[in-house]
DNA sequence: TTGAAAGCGTTACCAA
DNA sequence: TTGGTAACGCTTTCAA
């Protein structure tokens, strides 16, 4: 049987409250008393029961992080940063996968109300604010990414500006026929829509016309799907002069396809990505991409979340994290 | 204020116990009563308090997954599988990062006793059984990977056999000077030691002598570290005929270095990895590697863990998950 | 099948 | 500075 505060109190010859005071260190405790209690805790190998503490305090010290697909390198880097920053601030992180399933996204927002979670960092894909029942009290939520939602704070990289800048960078190398991989077709994810919009803005600034034939849709943003989509495209279209992939994962799939077909990068086609995952720098050739600090994303998200826990009523806030176009070999010397 | 069982009971005109019975569905409840209760729950937007339930039941429904470095693609794939399988079985997953820090590994094993976690899946790097205090009651723990430990069940891929088989596969392509990247120097991780041992066994079987000059140590198993280590090596050594990298991440870093130096893969040197991460198939050239089913790793780990929760006393069990050498372009046609 | 009451381990209030 | 006591929300005996 595990020792409880009562056991510690009994052994130390004090009251449970005093033991609690020693642990939490807010109410002052005299030196000798503290010593007795600490010795008793050590002797009994006392470990506090977090369920009881959570019940009593109304806070569990746990936040949830929910991402659409945990298997991607991008998810790994975000997860790493969130867990690291959260740990520094004394939070534990519960991980959830939404599979870009709207039902799962809503379910999480309500499950968070089960009081095992004090807040939620959610990277939604489809979350539609109209579908969130008004009147239902939501837990503190911070959104990650492009999906906008009146009810929650948000941290993102300005996808429109970044995609425009990348398009401009590609144009600056003299390429005109710039294709995009992962673009929003009839309807796509918010990220696809915004990055496509940025691409369009970039084209306009370059004075290049928009051609539907340079828009390559891609269902999933994975290397597999990207490789299939690009292969199918190249079977019936000429090679574009540049290829802007909406994620690095897709770009890696694309590089593989191009290499297998003997299409030289960057000589025949320049390739760019988005996210600057760890492997981008070691792609063959090294991948030009939109880079941003994942740790900053994590710490801003956590800051918004904890502030929101303190003040549920304040106005919605949106934080844009800085990005940078990193030009590597894949877009030419 | 959030509704509790009492509120639901009052509105439905029943006792709290009946509400509990409706929720848990073990004790039978009459149709009309159940209906009344369900209606009351819906009306009050009732969500059970998991802290209270956890306190009462002594189980939280949460398991922890602890990995050395969450930022890697390998971690992402394991995490994805564990979260998926756990979710199917009704578990939540709390994520922890150990940074291959022994102190953190021990801390986790005791923190798990804080009753917010019913069990722990831990991928240790250095965990030394001699350092685990005897007599301290550990939570149910399943180890992931090569580190062996008498006190806990374990799931792994037989690294010795897999590394031997990979070495044989490389030898079969006619290459004799087979280097390894990530090898255990004076002292290394268990994974490094076992894979090096497998490599040695493979060499013996091939009738190839061991040369220290073909052992390339690498501090961290990341593409960065691998690129640096290989670059330094190539500055003062001839190009080997084959390069067996102890993870795919390292292999991707290696491919990049080789490409930058104009060393052709697989013509000048064959390259192989370990783990078969999603990007391996799309490396340039596609990477030969040791492949295994991450989902199977996850489900075996969860099976052992839940069985261990039921029976804390049974004998230690070790499950080896099948692997397969997948030969792709990086080791020749 | 349902109800009343006790108790899980912790912390906060109020007294001393 | 310290101690007693109540309460957090749930489930589970035991009785009806």
């Amino acid at each position: 049987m595990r020792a409880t505060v009562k056991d510690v109190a009994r052994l130390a010859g004090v009251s449970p409250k005093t033991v609690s005071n020693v642990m939490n260190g807010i109410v002052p405790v005299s030196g000798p008393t503290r010593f007795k209690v600490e010795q008793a805790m050590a002797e009994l190998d006392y470990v506090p029961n977090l369920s009881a503490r959570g019940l009593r305090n109304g806070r569990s010290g746990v936040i949830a992080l929910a991402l659409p697909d945990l298997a991607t390198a991008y998810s790994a880097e975000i997860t790493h940063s969130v867990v690291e920053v959260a740990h520094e601030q004394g939070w534990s992180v519960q991980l959830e996968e939404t599979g870009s399933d709207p039902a799962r996204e809503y379910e999480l927002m309500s499950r968070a109300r089960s009081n095992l979670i004090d807040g939620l960092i959610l990277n939604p894909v489809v979350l539609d604010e109209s579908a969130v029942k008004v009147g239902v009290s939501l837990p503190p939520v911070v959104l990650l990414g492009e999906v906008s939602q009146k009810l929650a704070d948000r941290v993102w990289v300005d996808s429109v500006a970044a995609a425009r800048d990348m398009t401009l960078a590609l144009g600056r190398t003299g390429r005109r026929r710039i294709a995009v991989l992962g673009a929003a077709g009839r309807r796509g994810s918010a990220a696809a829509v915004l990055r496509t919009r940025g691409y369009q803005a970039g084209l306009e600034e370059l004075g290049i016309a928009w051609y539907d034939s340079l828009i390559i849709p891609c269902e999933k943003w994975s290397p597999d799907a990207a490789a299939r989509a690009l292969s199918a495209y190249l079977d019936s279209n000429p090679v574009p002069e540049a290829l802007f992939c909406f994620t690095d994962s897709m770009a890696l799939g694309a590089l593989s396809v191009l290499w297998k077909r003997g299409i030289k990068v960057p000589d025949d086609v320049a390739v760019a990505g988005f996210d600057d995952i760890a492997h981008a720098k070691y792609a063959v050739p090294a991948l030009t991409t939109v880079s941003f600090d994942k740790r900053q994303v994590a710490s801003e998200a956590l800051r918004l979340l904890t502030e929101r826990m303190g003040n549920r009523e304040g106005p919605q806030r949106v934080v844009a994290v800085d990005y940078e176009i990193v030009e590597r070999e894949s877009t030419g010397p």
Side-chain angles (χ1 to χ4, degrees), chain A residues 221-275:
Chain A
W221 284 10
S222 67
D224 296 85
R228 276 195 305 274
L230 181 60
S231 271
Y233 177 82
L234 291 175
D235 283 343
S236 49
N237 291 275
V239 180
E241 290 169 23
L243 178 63
F244 178 16
C245 307
F246 282 175
T247 68
D248 284 358
S249 259
M250 285 195 282
L252 295 180
L255 286 177
S256 169
V257 166
L258 294 168
W259 175 75
K260 280 186 184 151
R261 291 179 175 238
I263 301 168
K264 298 267 178 280
V265 177
D267 300 351
D268 299 335
V269 55
V271 175
F274 201 114
D275 288 341

Side-chain angles (χ1 to χ4, degrees), chain A residues 52-265:
Chain A
R53 185 176 287 175
L55 172 59
R56 175 66 235 203
N57 290 341
R59 301 182 304 103
S60 62
V62 179
I63 60 168
L65 172 65
L67 301 173
D69 181 2
L70 295 173
T72 67
Y74 173 76
S75 291
E77 297 186 15
I78 289 292
T79 301
H80 165 77
S81 294
V82 169
V83 168
E84 195 172 64
V85 174
H87 186 252
E88 285 164 11
Q89 302 182 13
W91 296 96
S92 294
V93 178
Q94 213 172 86
L95 201 57
E96 309 277 353
E97 188 164 50
T98 55
S100 50
D101 171 11
R104 189 95 187 84
E105 291 176 356
Y106 302 125
E107 184 195 334
L108 273 171
M109 295 185 78
S110 77
R111 258 257 315 255
R113 296 180 299 134
S114 299
N115 263 33
L116 214 73
I117 282 172
D118 297 337
L120 173 64
I121 298 178
L122 171 67
N123 181 346
V125 173
V126 286
L127 191 67
D128 185 341
E129 64 202 44
S130 69
V132 175
K133 279 178 263 167
V134 252
V136 171
S137 67
L138 294 177
V141 176
V142 171
L143 265 28
L144 238 43
E146 284 84 354
V147 172
S148 179
Q149 222 260 22
K150 289 198 191 76
L151 300 168
D153 300 323
R154 184 160 64 99
V155 177
W156 76 318
V157 171
D158 187 335
S159 269
V160 180
R164 186 204 53 211
D165 288 352
M166 180 59 87
T167 308
L168 292 177
L170 291 168
R172 237 180 280 118
T173 66
R175 331 234 175 193
R176 309 282 295 176
R177 295 184 38 259
I178 303 170
V180 280
L181 179 56
R186 188 160 300 275
R187 48 187 272 171
S189 68
V193 169
L194 296 190
R195 291 175 194 187
T196 305
R197 192 176 301 162
Y199 161 72
Q200 184 167 22
L203 288 185
E204 278 171 20
E205 222 164 300
L206 290 166
I208 301 177
W210 167 287
Y211 292 105
D212 281 346
S213 62
L214 290 173
I215 308 305
I216 313 174
C218 185
E219 273 307 299
K220 255 192 90 195
W221 284 10
S222 67
D224 296 85
R228 276 195 305 274
L230 181 60
S231 271
Y233 177 82
L234 291 175
D235 283 343
S236 49
N237 291 275
V239 180
E241 290 169 23
L243 178 63
F244 178 16
C245 307
F246 282 175
T247 68
D248 284 358
S249 259
M250 285 195 282
L252 295 180
L255 286 177
S256 169
V257 166
L258 294 168
W259 175 75
K260 280 186 184 151
R261 291 179 175 238
I263 301 168
K264 298 267 178 280
V265 177

